[in-house]
Amino acid sequence: EAGVAQSPRYKIIEKRQSVAFWCNPISGHATLYWYQQILGQGPKLLIQFQNNGVVDDSQLPKDRFSAERLKGVDSTLKIQPAKLEDSAVYLCASSLVGTHGNTIYFGEGSWLTVV
Amino acid sequence: AQSVTQLDSQVPVFEEAPVELRCNYSSSVSVYLFWYVQYPNQGLQLLLKYLSGSTLVESINGFEAEFNKSQTSFHLRKPSVHISDTAEYFCAAVFSGANNLFFGTGTRLTVIP
């Protein structure tokens, strides 16, 4: 089966510019996650969707980050305006309903460099 | 507080030697435990997981991990490593009542020819 698709794979922007990342989860997966992985650290959850509703966005810097999952399938993560510390890999993941016991499948990530 | 700790940031090991990557967690509630592997320029792939039942779990490529509740550990082991095992390994947990994976900081395994 097709895996989690993400684009773009790489992006370089200047600080204060905006950027958007797109994710297409595995077909039939109701739960979608966006993680931020800073170099040398483990991934950190930014936001979790169940279908098109937000389950957890407590770690999302809402003054600059936004995410949506229209129609409960694809998702977009936006950063505006970007800061230097936003340089990271943004990982999209999906799973069947919920997290408990269900394997979470990750995409290859979108690598962001803010200069 | 709930957390996942990987004390070793880098582990170099010679080819065909055994390896152990350490993972400890801190939690007063039940937990599901996972090991993910990340090869260079690739996404995270599930290596193995412990949900319940037998405390020893195995992967298809020779890795195994044992859930030790008294030690709050889930160390990853392989009796003989290959060059292709060079990667970053992440321990992760889902704590009862939480909705998502908590990751450790990762251990970079480098297999030396």
Side-chain angles (χ1 to χ4, degrees):
Chain A
E1 63 181 8
V4 177
Q6 290 188 245
S7 68
R9 285 295 311 277
Y10 305 94
K11 190 76 176 178
I12 302 174
I13 62 173
E14 295 182 348
K15 58 183 179 183
R16 291 188 290 274
Q17 286 187 324
S18 63
V19 63
F21 301 114
W22 172 84
C23 172
N24 181 238
I26 292 173
S27 178
H29 281 193
T31 306
L32 185 147
Y33 315 77
W34 282 102
Y35 281 83
Q36 179 192 56
Q37 185 179 9
I38 294 174
L39 187 65
Q41 299 181 20
K44 181 187 77 173
L45 180 72
L46 290 175
I47 189 167
Q48 178 183 345
F49 292 95
Q50 181 83 5
N51 297 307
N52 60 351
V54 176
V55 173
D56 184 353
D57 64 355
S58 57
Q59 299 296 309
L60 187 73
K62 297 180 185 65
D63 57 333
R64 298 182 301 105
F65 286 66
S66 65
E68 61 183 10
R69 192 184 184 196
L70 300 176
K71 301 180 182 178
V73 180
D74 294 5
S75 177
T76 302
L77 176 70
K78 296 179 181 177
I79 307 174
Q80 180 179 14
K83 292 185 174 181
L84 295 177
E85 59 261 35
D86 298 332
S87 294
V89 181
Y90 291 86
L91 297 166
C92 181
S94 70
S95 69
L96 293 170
V97 177
T99 306
H100 294 274
N102 289 309
T103 298
I104 298 177
Y105 296 87
F106 286 82
E108 294 188 324
S110 292
W111 299 64
L112 174 66
T113 301
V114 182
V115 298
Chain B
Q2 298 164 338
S3 63
V4 177
T5 302
Q6 292 180 254
L7 289 175
D8 305 308
S9 60
Q10 297 189 57
V11 173
V13 62
F14 286 103
E15 192 174 14
E16 297 183 5
V19 70
E20 178 180 82
L21 306 183
R22 295 181 294 169
C23 173
N24 289 87
Y25 67 92
S26 175
S27 176
S28 58
V29 298
S30 61
V31 61
Y32 298 135
L33 293 161
F34 305 79
W35 276 99
Y36 279 82
V37 59
Q38 187 173 37
Y39 298 105
N41 297 318
Q42 294 186 28
L44 292 161
Q45 300 173 36
L46 180 67
L47 194 58
L48 45 77
K49 63 182 177 181
Y50 170 77
L51 303 180
S52 63
S54 174
T55 57
L56 183 65
V57 291
E58 300 176 350
S59 71
I60 58 173
N61 57 354
F63 282 94
E64 64 178 30
E66 185 164 17
F67 170 60
N68 188 320
K69 188 175 182 179
S70 62
Q71 301 288 324
T72 61
S73 68
F74 191 56
H75 301 331
L76 183 69
R77 302 183 181 95
K78 188 170 185 179
S80 177
V81 295
H82 302 290
I83 296 292
S84 59
D85 293 325
T86 293
E88 187 97 21
Y89 291 80
F90 290 93
C91 183
V94 174
F95 300 104
S96 178
N99 290 312
N100 67 87
L101 277 171
F102 287 85
F103 282 88
T105 51
T107 298
R108 180 169 296 279
L109 173 64
T110 302
V111 180
I112 305 165

